[in-house]
Amino acid sequence: MGLIKCSDCGREISARALFCPGCGAPREGEQASPPSERKSKTAVPVMGIIAAGLGLASMAMPYFAAVFFVPATFICGIIALRQGHRILGKISIALAFLGLITIVFVSQQIGDPQQALEGLLDKLRSLR
């Protein structure tokens, strides 16, 4: 790693540094741009992929696992939207809502545990 001199203050800085740590001046030959503009627009949408995967997994998982996957899908979808990955973010949020509907439907199907237990006992009694 080589050292070069800052064009503004003359301090030795790393050749890899974008800005001088002493005075904050951009390194010679580098364009001064805000950090938000230096981000690549083609970055891999990691959170969007994770969110979509969690959403699909919540559809395939049993009820007790979906209860945990659906909120994670929603949160990751929001993060993906905030990072600018609109399509995957929207898909993830839609999958989270579908998962929520599935959870509510299954919860209603489960019903009252006492009533289910009484029905099971009635079936066992009829087998004798």
Side-chain angles (χ1 to χ4, degrees):
M1 176 169 81
L3 294 175
I4 59 172
K5 289 195 178 214
C6 173
S7 60
D8 281 3
C9 68
R11 183 177 181 182
E12 285 191 343
I13 62 172
S14 169
R16 293 183 183 174
L18 297 176
F19 296 93
C20 174
C23 67
R27 193 182 83 202
E28 213 170 273
E30 290 290 322
Q31 297 219 355
S33 63
S36 61
E37 290 180 15
R38 276 188 261 133
K39 286 184 181 177
S40 173
K41 296 288 183 184
T42 60
V44 177
V46 175
M47 285 307 284
I49 292 170
I50 290 171
L54 284 172
L56 293 173
S58 71
M59 295 295 169
M61 293 287 169
Y63 171 78
F64 62 91
V67 170
F68 297 103
F69 277 87
V70 168
T73 301
F74 184 74
I75 291 168
C76 290
I78 294 294
I79 292 171
L81 277 176
R82 299 223 23 168
Q83 289 180 344
H85 306 292
R86 290 185 177 156
I87 294 172
L88 285 174
K90 288 178 182 179
I91 289 171
S92 301
I93 292 171
L95 287 172
F97 280 115
L98 286 174
L100 182 64
I101 291 168
T102 303
I103 288 171
V104 169
F105 179 74
V106 170
S107 296
Q108 290 176 348
Q109 294 298 316
I110 291 172
D112 183 23
Q114 182 67 30
Q115 187 179 20
L117 183 59
E118 288 174 3
L120 183 60
L121 288 174
D122 288 342
K123 286 181 183 178
L124 288 174
R125 287 183 192 129
S126 68
L127 291 175
R128 284 198 248 175

